[in-house]
Amino acid sequence: MDTATNNTAAAMPQLFDLTGHVALVTGGNGGLGIGMARGLASAGASVAIWGRNAERNRAASAALKANGADVADFACDVTDPEQVSAAMELTIARFGRLDSCFANAGGSGVRKPFTQLSPGDWQSTLDLNVNSVVYTFQAASRQFMAQGSGGSLVVTSSVAALLGVPGGGYSATKAAVSGLVRSLAVELAPAGIRANAILPGFIATEMSLNTPKAFQDACLRRTPSGKLGTVDDMAGAAVFLAGPASQYMTGHSLVIDGGQSIFPM
């Protein structure tokens, strides 16, 4: 084995070591977010969990702390820019810095036939899945710039951004945030800030398992891996995108769907 190969092998564990790293996960008290938070904490990161439900926040924090993680939770409705700013101040007061921001909070929004969506329905889905990301990424980017350290922005989009999914504005909002990270990747690169998206397929969560069984069965049929994803399938992607292993990746959409988006059955 030559010297270059030896050096690469020796450096490999460090690429996934997040010791001293501070990560923020919105919607981190359950679902996809808790899978990300667990992965980040297991790699050595300190983790800030934001969520609207203070009780669920505390429960998620307690579970991570039981495994030795450095975690703090903050109640925040990320559709409200003032709450986002306040939660960011509290996060920085607690941890002293921020290195990665996972804008994961979101949801299905209003599911109605397109012709029946009211202006209010449309606006609420935009607030939930797009405006919340904008507010969160603005606050995180300002902090990265103030530190002068760069950072990693990651949004939870969906394979629905690539596929035609009925039910109103969900696909549109997920496509929007996938486009947002491409714009931010270009604009924020001089500040050392990277921006990427994770596009999960059907991952078994409390929310997804409340969808009609026919929909779940259809997702499973078109997933060549033959199984639904779990929240722990989000952990590796979170660690990869947060830290040095992905230092030259920006503006990318990382699909985690067991092949669902490429299998036309």
Side-chain angles (χ1 to χ4, degrees):
M1 187 178 291
D2 60 31
T3 302
T5 303
N6 274 325
N7 289 341
T8 300
M12 191 58 64
Q14 298 176 21
L15 293 177
F16 300 93
D17 181 0
L18 298 181
T19 302
H21 183 106
V22 178
L24 160 64
V25 183
T26 72
N29 60 18
L32 304 181
I34 193 64
M36 295 179 191
R38 280 201 294 256
L40 294 161
S42 68
S46 299
V47 180
I49 289 174
W50 291 9
R52 287 183 295 187
N53 188 313
E55 184 176 349
R56 286 177 60 112
N57 292 349
R58 287 192 294 271
S61 286
L64 292 172
K65 288 175 181 177
N67 290 321
D70 179 22
V71 185
D73 60 271
F74 305 94
C76 180
D77 180 348
V78 289
T79 67
D80 181 343
E82 293 185 359
Q83 289 193 39
V84 169
S85 295
M88 183 60 73
E89 289 183 7
L90 292 172
T91 298
I92 302 307
R94 167 63 172 79
F95 293 107
R97 62 178 296 108
L98 184 67
D99 298 291
S100 63
C101 173
F102 290 79
N104 168 74
S108 61
V110 179
R111 292 291 184 95
K112 289 182 181 178
F114 178 70
T115 56
Q116 296 177 21
L117 280 174
S118 70
D121 294 335
W122 175 247
Q123 187 61 55
S124 68
T125 304
L126 285 176
D127 287 340
L128 180 64
N129 289 337
V130 180
N131 291 340
S132 65
V133 176
V134 171
Y135 303 147
T136 301
F137 277 178
Q138 284 180 326
S141 296
R142 290 172 185 136
Q143 179 60 34
F144 294 153
M145 290 175 178
Q147 293 170 183
S149 60
S152 176
L153 302 172
V154 183
V155 66
T156 301
S157 179
S158 168
V159 294
L162 308 175
L163 306 173
V165 179
Y170 181 75
S171 289
T173 59
K174 292 304 183 180
V177 294
S178 293
L180 175 65
V181 296
R182 291 193 291 274
S183 295
L184 296 182
V186 174
E187 180 176 345
L188 300 178
I193 299 171
R194 300 181 293 112
N196 294 287
I198 296 175
L199 279 61
F202 192 98
I203 307 292
T205 65
E206 181 180 342
M207 183 174 72
S208 67
L209 292 176
N210 279 328
T211 58
K213 187 175 185 302
F215 175 75
Q216 297 179 40
D217 291 344
C219 290
L220 186 58
R221 280 196 304 273
R222 63 176 296 158
T223 303
S225 67
K227 62 181 181 179
L228 299 179
T230 71
V231 297
D232 289 332
D233 290 321
M234 305 297 291
V239 173
F240 172 67
L241 291 174
S246 61
Q247 63 184 353
Y248 199 55
M249 177 184 289
T250 194
H252 182 69
S253 292
L254 182 61
V255 177
I256 305 175
D257 70 347
Q260 180 184 342
S261 58
I262 61 170
F263 195 50
M265 296 298 289

